[in-house]
mmCIF file of all heavy atoms in Angstrom:
data_model
loop_
_atom_site.group_PDB
_atom_site.id
_atom_site.type_symbol
_atom_site.label_atom_id
_atom_site.label_comp_id
_atom_site.label_asym_id
_atom_site.label_seq_id
_atom_site.Cartn_x
_atom_site.Cartn_y
_atom_site.Cartn_z
ATOM 1 N N GLN E 1 0.829 -1.203 0.000
ATOM 2 C CA GLN E 1 0.000 0.000 0.000
ATOM 3 C C GLN E 1 0.863 1.253 0.000
ATOM 4 O O GLN E 1 0.577 2.233 -0.698
ATOM 5 C CB GLN E 1 -0.921 -0.026 1.218
ATOM 6 C CG GLN E 1 -1.954 1.088 1.249
ATOM 7 C CD GLN E 1 -2.743 1.087 2.541
ATOM 8 O OE1 GLN E 1 -2.184 0.975 3.628
ATOM 9 N NE2 GLN E 1 -4.067 1.192 2.428
ATOM 10 N N ALA E 2 1.944 1.212 0.780
ATOM 11 C CA ALA E 2 2.864 2.353 0.837
ATOM 12 C C ALA E 2 3.546 2.578 -0.501
ATOM 13 O O ALA E 2 3.701 3.720 -0.959
ATOM 14 C CB ALA E 2 3.906 2.127 1.926
ATOM 15 N N VAL E 3 3.960 1.483 -1.159
ATOM 16 C CA VAL E 3 4.618 1.600 -2.468
ATOM 17 C C VAL E 3 3.682 2.282 -3.467
ATOM 18 O O VAL E 3 4.104 3.150 -4.245
ATOM 19 C CB VAL E 3 5.044 0.210 -2.985
ATOM 20 C CG1 VAL E 3 5.569 0.307 -4.419
ATOM 21 C CG2 VAL E 3 6.114 -0.393 -2.075
ATOM 22 N N GLY E 4 2.416 1.910 -3.446
ATOM 23 C CA GLY E 4 1.465 2.545 -4.351
ATOM 24 C C GLY E 4 1.153 3.974 -3.968
ATOM 25 O O GLY E 4 1.157 4.883 -4.810
ATOM 26 N N GLY E 5 0.891 4.220 -2.693
ATOM 27 C CA GLY E 5 0.535 5.564 -2.247
ATOM 28 C C GLY E 5 1.664 6.556 -2.368
ATOM 29 O O GLY E 5 1.434 7.767 -2.464
ATOM 30 N N CYS E 6 2.897 6.058 -2.380
ATOM 31 C CA CYS E 6 4.059 6.933 -2.495
ATOM 32 C C CYS E 6 4.095 7.674 -3.823
ATOM 33 O O CYS E 6 4.670 8.763 -3.923
ATOM 34 C CB CYS E 6 5.316 6.093 -2.328
ATOM 35 S SG CYS E 6 6.846 6.986 -2.552
ATOM 36 N N SER E 7 3.484 7.115 -4.849
ATOM 37 C CA SER E 7 3.568 7.709 -6.186
ATOM 38 C C SER E 7 3.064 9.147 -6.203
ATOM 39 O O SER E 7 3.678 10.024 -6.818
ATOM 40 C CB SER E 7 2.778 6.860 -7.188
ATOM 41 O OG SER E 7 1.412 6.776 -6.820
ATOM 42 N N GLY E 8 1.958 9.409 -5.526
ATOM 43 C CA GLY E 8 1.412 10.761 -5.517
ATOM 44 C C GLY E 8 2.281 11.746 -4.765
ATOM 45 O O GLY E 8 2.399 12.916 -5.155
ATOM 46 N N ILE E 9 2.914 11.284 -3.683
ATOM 47 C CA ILE E 9 3.764 12.168 -2.884
ATOM 48 C C ILE E 9 4.966 12.633 -3.706
ATOM 49 O O ILE E 9 5.261 13.829 -3.800
ATOM 50 C CB ILE E 9 4.228 11.442 -1.607
ATOM 51 C CG1 ILE E 9 3.026 11.045 -0.751
ATOM 52 C CG2 ILE E 9 5.177 12.321 -0.808
ATOM 53 C CD1 ILE E 9 3.383 10.184 0.447
ATOM 54 N N VAL E 10 5.681 11.683 -4.301
ATOM 55 C CA VAL E 10 6.894 12.012 -5.056
ATOM 56 C C VAL E 10 6.573 12.760 -6.335
ATOM 57 O O VAL E 10 7.148 13.807 -6.632
ATOM 58 C CB VAL E 10 7.671 10.723 -5.402
ATOM 59 C CG1 VAL E 10 8.904 11.050 -6.229
ATOM 60 C CG2 VAL E 10 8.083 10.002 -4.138
ATOM 61 N N LEU E 11 5.635 12.225 -7.103
ATOM 62 C CA LEU E 11 5.383 12.785 -8.425
ATOM 63 C C LEU E 11 4.628 14.105 -8.351
ATOM 64 O O LEU E 11 4.768 14.945 -9.235
ATOM 65 C CB LEU E 11 4.627 11.765 -9.277
ATOM 66 C CG LEU E 11 5.397 10.445 -9.458
ATOM 67 C CD1 LEU E 11 4.582 9.454 -10.261
ATOM 68 C CD2 LEU E 11 6.742 10.693 -10.119
ATOM 69 N N GLY E 12 3.855 14.310 -7.289
ATOM 70 C CA GLY E 12 3.227 15.615 -7.105
ATOM 71 C C GLY E 12 4.268 16.711 -6.973
ATOM 72 O O GLY E 12 4.165 17.780 -7.587
ATOM 73 N N ARG E 13 5.316 16.447 -6.166
ATOM 74 C CA ARG E 13 6.396 17.421 -6.010
ATOM 75 C C ARG E 13 7.151 17.616 -7.314
ATOM 76 O O ARG E 13 7.505 18.742 -7.692
ATOM 77 C CB ARG E 13 7.367 16.960 -4.917
ATOM 78 C CG ARG E 13 6.775 16.902 -3.530
ATOM 79 C CD ARG E 13 7.856 16.799 -2.480
ATOM 80 N NE ARG E 13 8.697 15.629 -2.614
ATOM 81 C CZ ARG E 13 8.662 14.581 -1.805
ATOM 82 N NH1 ARG E 13 7.790 14.539 -0.822
ATOM 83 N NH2 ARG E 13 9.494 13.575 -1.972
ATOM 84 N N ALA E 14 7.435 16.505 -8.018
ATOM 85 C CA ALA E 14 8.188 16.614 -9.265
ATOM 86 C C ALA E 14 7.399 17.391 -10.318
ATOM 87 O O ALA E 14 7.967 18.179 -11.080
ATOM 88 C CB ALA E 14 8.534 15.216 -9.784
ATOM 89 N N ILE E 15 6.084 17.183 -10.366
ATOM 90 C CA ILE E 15 5.245 17.909 -11.319
ATOM 91 C C ILE E 15 5.278 19.405 -11.021
ATOM 92 O O ILE E 15 5.384 20.238 -11.927
ATOM 93 C CB ILE E 15 3.806 17.373 -11.288
ATOM 94 C CG1 ILE E 15 3.758 15.980 -11.931
ATOM 95 C CG2 ILE E 15 2.846 18.311 -12.007
ATOM 96 C CD1 ILE E 15 2.440 15.261 -11.757
ATOM 97 N N VAL E 16 5.204 19.759 -9.731
ATOM 98 C CA VAL E 16 5.287 21.176 -9.357
ATOM 99 C C VAL E 16 6.613 21.767 -9.809
ATOM 100 O O VAL E 16 6.674 22.876 -10.347
ATOM 101 C CB VAL E 16 5.103 21.334 -7.830
ATOM 102 C CG1 VAL E 16 5.496 22.728 -7.377
ATOM 103 C CG2 VAL E 16 3.664 21.052 -7.444
ATOM 104 N N ARG E 17 7.707 21.016 -9.610
ATOM 105 C CA ARG E 17 9.017 21.530 -10.013
ATOM 106 C C ARG E 17 9.145 21.595 -11.530
ATOM 107 O O ARG E 17 9.889 22.426 -12.064
ATOM 108 C CB ARG E 17 10.138 20.658 -9.417
ATOM 109 C CG ARG E 17 11.524 21.307 -9.541
ATOM 110 C CD ARG E 17 11.575 22.626 -8.779
ATOM 111 N NE ARG E 17 12.849 23.302 -8.944
ATOM 112 C CZ ARG E 17 13.130 24.155 -9.911
ATOM 113 N NH1 ARG E 17 12.217 24.428 -10.839
ATOM 114 N NH2 ARG E 17 14.305 24.754 -9.963
ATOM 115 N N ASP E 18 8.416 20.733 -12.248
ATOM 116 C CA ASP E 18 8.391 20.831 -13.711
ATOM 117 C C ASP E 18 7.813 22.167 -14.160
ATOM 118 O O ASP E 18 8.208 22.717 -15.188
ATOM 119 C CB ASP E 18 7.528 19.715 -14.307
ATOM 120 C CG ASP E 18 8.174 18.341 -14.204
ATOM 121 O OD1 ASP E 18 9.415 18.273 -14.064
ATOM 122 O OD2 ASP E 18 7.431 17.341 -14.270
ATOM 123 N N LEU E 19 6.865 22.673 -13.385
ATOM 124 C CA LEU E 19 6.067 23.808 -13.826
ATOM 125 C C LEU E 19 6.519 25.147 -13.262
ATOM 126 O O LEU E 19 6.196 26.190 -13.830
ATOM 127 C CB LEU E 19 4.593 23.573 -13.447
ATOM 128 C CG LEU E 19 3.939 22.313 -14.032
ATOM 129 C CD1 LEU E 19 2.551 22.113 -13.442
ATOM 130 C CD2 LEU E 19 3.873 22.394 -15.546
ATOM 131 N N TYR E 20 7.250 25.147 -12.131
ATOM 132 C CA TYR E 20 7.565 26.396 -11.444
ATOM 133 C C TYR E 20 9.038 26.457 -11.061
ATOM 134 O O TYR E 20 9.686 25.441 -10.874
ATOM 135 C CB TYR E 20 6.703 26.557 -10.184
ATOM 136 C CG TYR E 20 5.220 26.519 -10.448
ATOM 137 C CD1 TYR E 20 4.494 25.350 -10.230
ATOM 138 C CD2 TYR E 20 4.541 27.643 -10.916
ATOM 139 C CE1 TYR E 20 3.126 25.298 -10.467
ATOM 140 C CE2 TYR E 20 3.177 27.596 -11.161
ATOM 141 C CZ TYR E 20 2.478 26.427 -10.938
ATOM 142 O OH TYR E 20 1.132 26.380 -11.180
ATOM 143 N N GLU E 21 9.541 27.683 -10.899
ATOM 144 C CA GLU E 21 10.904 27.893 -10.449
ATOM 145 C C GLU E 21 11.005 27.685 -8.939
ATOM 146 O O GLU E 21 10.012 27.477 -8.256
ATOM 147 C CB GLU E 21 11.382 29.300 -10.833
ATOM 148 C CG GLU E 21 11.499 29.519 -12.329
ATOM 149 C CD GLU E 21 12.467 28.523 -12.974
ATOM 150 O OE1 GLU E 21 13.505 28.234 -12.354
ATOM 151 O OE2 GLU E 21 12.173 28.030 -14.072
ATOM 152 N N ARG E 22 12.233 27.809 -8.395
ATOM 153 C CA ARG E 22 12.566 27.373 -7.035
ATOM 154 C C ARG E 22 11.646 27.942 -5.961
ATOM 155 O O ARG E 22 10.952 27.208 -5.253
ATOM 156 C CB ARG E 22 14.022 27.749 -6.740
ATOM 157 C CG ARG E 22 14.539 27.357 -5.365
ATOM 158 C CD ARG E 22 16.018 27.719 -5.285
ATOM 159 N NE ARG E 22 16.629 27.329 -4.028
ATOM 160 C CZ ARG E 22 16.768 28.149 -3.004
ATOM 161 N NH1 ARG E 22 16.312 29.382 -3.071
ATOM 162 N NH2 ARG E 22 17.358 27.741 -1.883
ATOM 163 N N ASP E 23 11.627 29.259 -5.782
ATOM 164 C CA ASP E 23 10.826 29.850 -4.708
ATOM 165 C C ASP E 23 9.339 29.700 -4.983
ATOM 166 O O ASP E 23 8.545 29.487 -4.059
ATOM 167 C CB ASP E 23 11.192 31.333 -4.513
ATOM 168 C CG ASP E 23 12.555 31.511 -3.862
ATOM 169 O OD1 ASP E 23 13.077 30.509 -3.310
ATOM 170 O OD2 ASP E 23 13.102 32.622 -3.917
ATOM 171 N N LYS E 24 8.931 29.832 -6.245
ATOM 172 C CA LYS E 24 7.530 29.632 -6.595
ATOM 173 C C LYS E 24 7.124 28.185 -6.362
ATOM 174 O O LYS E 24 5.987 27.909 -5.936
ATOM 175 C CB LYS E 24 7.313 30.006 -8.064
ATOM 176 C CG LYS E 24 5.852 29.907 -8.508
ATOM 177 C CD LYS E 24 4.944 30.868 -7.748
ATOM 178 C CE LYS E 24 3.531 30.828 -8.302
ATOM 179 N NZ LYS E 24 2.612 31.689 -7.535
ATOM 180 N N ALA E 25 8.044 27.240 -6.605
ATOM 181 C CA ALA E 25 7.748 25.830 -6.329
ATOM 182 C C ALA E 25 7.498 25.615 -4.847
ATOM 183 O O ALA E 25 6.583 24.886 -4.449
ATOM 184 C CB ALA E 25 8.895 24.938 -6.808
ATOM 185 N N ALA E 26 8.311 26.257 -3.987
ATOM 186 C CA ALA E 26 8.085 26.150 -2.538
ATOM 187 C C ALA E 26 6.716 26.690 -2.165
ATOM 188 O O ALA E 26 5.997 26.120 -1.337
ATOM 189 C CB ALA E 26 9.178 26.909 -1.789
ATOM 190 N N SER E 27 6.345 27.806 -2.791
ATOM 191 C CA SER E 27 5.031 28.389 -2.524
ATOM 192 C C SER E 27 3.912 27.446 -2.949
ATOM 193 O O SER E 27 2.947 27.227 -2.210
ATOM 194 C CB SER E 27 4.912 29.732 -3.271
ATOM 195 O OG SER E 27 3.635 30.290 -3.075
ATOM 196 N N MET E 28 4.023 26.857 -4.140
ATOM 197 C CA MET E 28 2.982 25.959 -4.630
ATOM 198 C C MET E 28 2.905 24.677 -3.807
ATOM 199 O O MET E 28 1.819 24.169 -3.528
ATOM 200 C CB MET E 28 3.233 25.624 -6.101
ATOM 201 C CG MET E 28 3.046 26.802 -7.044
ATOM 202 S SD MET E 28 1.410 27.562 -6.915
ATOM 203 C CE MET E 28 0.350 26.195 -7.379
ATOM 204 N N ILE E 29 4.065 24.145 -3.403
ATOM 205 C CA ILE E 29 4.061 22.966 -2.535
ATOM 206 C C ILE E 29 3.366 23.291 -1.221
ATOM 207 O O ILE E 29 2.616 22.481 -0.670
ATOM 208 C CB ILE E 29 5.501 22.464 -2.291
ATOM 209 C CG1 ILE E 29 6.075 21.867 -3.581
ATOM 210 C CG2 ILE E 29 5.522 21.409 -1.184
ATOM 211 C CD1 ILE E 29 7.547 21.490 -3.479
ATOM 212 N N GLY E 30 3.602 24.516 -0.721
ATOM 213 C CA GLY E 30 2.919 24.933 0.503
ATOM 214 C C GLY E 30 1.417 24.976 0.340
ATOM 215 O O GLY E 30 0.665 24.498 1.195
ATOM 216 N N TYR E 31 0.946 25.539 -0.765
ATOM 217 C CA TYR E 31 -0.497 25.593 -1.005
ATOM 218 C C TYR E 31 -1.094 24.200 -1.176
ATOM 219 O O TYR E 31 -2.178 23.905 -0.666
ATOM 220 C CB TYR E 31 -0.783 26.433 -2.251
ATOM 221 C CG TYR E 31 -0.738 27.918 -2.023
ATOM 222 C CD1 TYR E 31 0.035 28.749 -2.849
ATOM 223 C CD2 TYR E 31 -1.465 28.510 -0.989
ATOM 224 C CE1 TYR E 31 0.083 30.114 -2.635
ATOM 225 C CE2 TYR E 31 -1.419 29.877 -0.777
ATOM 226 C CZ TYR E 31 -0.646 30.684 -1.603
ATOM 227 O OH TYR E 31 -0.600 32.033 -1.397
ATOM 228 N N ILE E 32 -0.375 23.331 -1.895
ATOM 229 C CA ILE E 32 -0.889 21.981 -2.106
ATOM 230 C C ILE E 32 -0.998 21.234 -0.788
ATOM 231 O O ILE E 32 -2.016 20.621 -0.474
ATOM 232 C CB ILE E 32 0.008 21.217 -3.103
ATOM 233 C CG1 ILE E 32 -0.176 21.780 -4.510
ATOM 234 C CG2 ILE E 32 -0.318 19.722 -3.099
ATOM 235 C CD1 ILE E 32 0.789 21.219 -5.522
ATOM 236 N N THR E 33 0.061 21.276 0.016
ATOM 237 C CA THR E 33 0.024 20.550 1.279
ATOM 238 C C THR E 33 -0.952 21.175 2.260
ATOM 239 O O THR E 33 -1.530 20.474 3.088
ATOM 240 C CB THR E 33 1.429 20.473 1.907
ATOM 241 O OG1 THR E 33 2.004 21.782 1.949
ATOM 242 C CG2 THR E 33 2.327 19.573 1.103
ATOM 243 N N MET E 34 -1.163 22.486 2.183
ATOM 244 C CA MET E 34 -2.174 23.107 3.030
ATOM 245 C C MET E 34 -3.547 22.550 2.700
ATOM 246 O O MET E 34 -4.363 22.273 3.596
ATOM 247 C CB MET E 34 -2.189 24.626 2.834
ATOM 248 C CG MET E 34 -3.272 25.340 3.658
ATOM 249 S SD MET E 34 -3.403 27.109 3.286
ATOM 250 C CE MET E 34 -4.004 27.053 1.600
ATOM 251 N N ALA E 35 -3.811 22.349 1.415
ATOM 252 C CA ALA E 35 -5.122 21.857 1.017
ATOM 253 C C ALA E 35 -5.271 20.368 1.316
ATOM 254 O O ALA E 35 -6.270 19.932 1.896
ATOM 255 C CB ALA E 35 -5.338 22.132 -0.475
ATOM 256 N N TRP E 36 -4.249 19.548 0.927
ATOM 257 C CA TRP E 36 -4.444 18.111 1.119
ATOM 258 C C TRP E 36 -4.242 17.661 2.550
ATOM 259 O O TRP E 36 -4.550 16.516 2.906
ATOM 260 C CB TRP E 36 -3.626 17.283 0.161
ATOM 261 C CG TRP E 36 -2.129 17.284 0.182
ATOM 262 C CD1 TRP E 36 -1.313 17.779 -0.787
ATOM 263 C CD2 TRP E 36 -1.248 16.687 1.147
ATOM 264 N NE1 TRP E 36 0.002 17.555 -0.474
ATOM 265 C CE2 TRP E 36 0.072 16.887 0.711
ATOM 266 C CE3 TRP E 36 -1.449 16.011 2.359
ATOM 267 C CZ2 TRP E 36 1.192 16.446 1.419
ATOM 268 C CZ3 TRP E 36 -0.346 15.572 3.069
ATOM 269 C CH2 TRP E 36 0.959 15.791 2.597
ATOM 270 N N VAL E 37 -3.761 18.545 3.428
ATOM 271 C CA VAL E 37 -3.666 18.176 4.838
ATOM 272 C C VAL E 37 -5.047 18.046 5.476
ATOM 273 O O VAL E 37 -5.204 17.472 6.550
ATOM 274 C CB VAL E 37 -2.799 19.196 5.617
ATOM 275 C CG1 VAL E 37 -3.605 20.445 5.976
ATOM 276 C CG2 VAL E 37 -2.229 18.553 6.879
ATOM 277 N N LEU E 38 -6.073 18.585 4.792
ATOM 278 C CA LEU E 38 -7.430 18.410 5.301
ATOM 279 C C LEU E 38 -7.805 16.932 5.375
ATOM 280 O O LEU E 38 -8.517 16.507 6.289
ATOM 281 C CB LEU E 38 -8.424 19.160 4.409
ATOM 282 C CG LEU E 38 -8.391 20.680 4.489
ATOM 283 C CD1 LEU E 38 -9.298 21.283 3.418
ATOM 284 C CD2 LEU E 38 -8.816 21.148 5.871
ATOM 285 N N ALA E 39 -7.327 16.136 4.425
ATOM 286 C CA ALA E 39 -7.641 14.700 4.449
ATOM 287 C C ALA E 39 -6.978 14.004 5.637
ATOM 288 O O ALA E 39 -7.668 13.332 6.420
ATOM 289 C CB ALA E 39 -7.213 14.050 3.129
ATOM 290 N N PRO E 40 -5.651 14.165 5.848
ATOM 291 C CA PRO E 40 -5.064 13.567 7.044
ATOM 292 C C PRO E 40 -5.606 14.154 8.345
ATOM 293 O O PRO E 40 -5.550 13.502 9.380
ATOM 294 C CB PRO E 40 -3.563 13.876 6.889
ATOM 295 C CG PRO E 40 -3.367 14.043 5.431
ATOM 296 C CD PRO E 40 -4.627 14.682 4.924
ATOM 297 N N MET E 41 -6.112 15.384 8.301
ATOM 298 C CA MET E 41 -6.652 15.988 9.514
ATOM 299 C C MET E 41 -7.880 15.232 9.994
ATOM 300 O O MET E 41 -8.032 14.961 11.186
ATOM 301 C CB MET E 41 -7.010 17.461 9.261
ATOM 302 C CG MET E 41 -7.599 18.155 10.487
ATOM 303 S SD MET E 41 -7.920 19.908 10.206
ATOM 304 C CE MET E 41 -9.312 19.829 9.100
ATOM 305 N N VAL E 42 -8.764 14.893 9.073
ATOM 306 C CA VAL E 42 -9.983 14.188 9.467
ATOM 307 C C VAL E 42 -9.797 12.676 9.451
ATOM 308 O O VAL E 42 -10.651 11.946 9.953
ATOM 309 C CB VAL E 42 -11.160 14.581 8.555
ATOM 310 C CG1 VAL E 42 -11.424 16.070 8.643
ATOM 311 C CG2 VAL E 42 -10.912 14.180 7.106
ATOM 312 N N ALA E 43 -8.661 12.194 8.888
ATOM 313 C CA ALA E 43 -8.462 10.752 8.756
ATOM 314 C C ALA E 43 -8.478 10.018 10.090
ATOM 315 O O ALA E 43 -9.154 8.981 10.206
ATOM 316 C CB ALA E 43 -7.161 10.468 8.003
ATOM 317 N N PRO E 44 -7.758 10.491 11.134
ATOM 318 C CA PRO E 44 -7.825 9.755 12.403
ATOM 319 C C PRO E 44 -9.228 9.730 12.998
ATOM 320 O O PRO E 44 -9.622 8.726 13.607
ATOM 321 C CB PRO E 44 -6.851 10.520 13.314
ATOM 322 C CG PRO E 44 -5.919 11.204 12.376
ATOM 323 C CD PRO E 44 -6.763 11.578 11.195
ATOM 324 N N LEU E 45 -9.983 10.814 12.823
ATOM 325 C CA LEU E 45 -11.357 10.825 13.324
ATOM 326 C C LEU E 45 -12.211 9.821 12.547
ATOM 327 O O LEU E 45 -12.973 9.042 13.142
ATOM 328 C CB LEU E 45 -11.949 12.231 13.210
ATOM 329 C CG LEU E 45 -13.411 12.385 13.658
ATOM 330 C CD1 LEU E 45 -13.569 11.952 15.109
ATOM 331 C CD2 LEU E 45 -13.879 13.823 13.471
#
């Protein structure tokens, strides 16, 4: 399950870096993780 789920973590970051420069990539990664952290936030509940 981890091997499969890892694909989105790694490739999501790589896709962002494909599209944006260094500091902008950090900003976009921040926005993405801010949004998708909602799922892990409610996951334990």
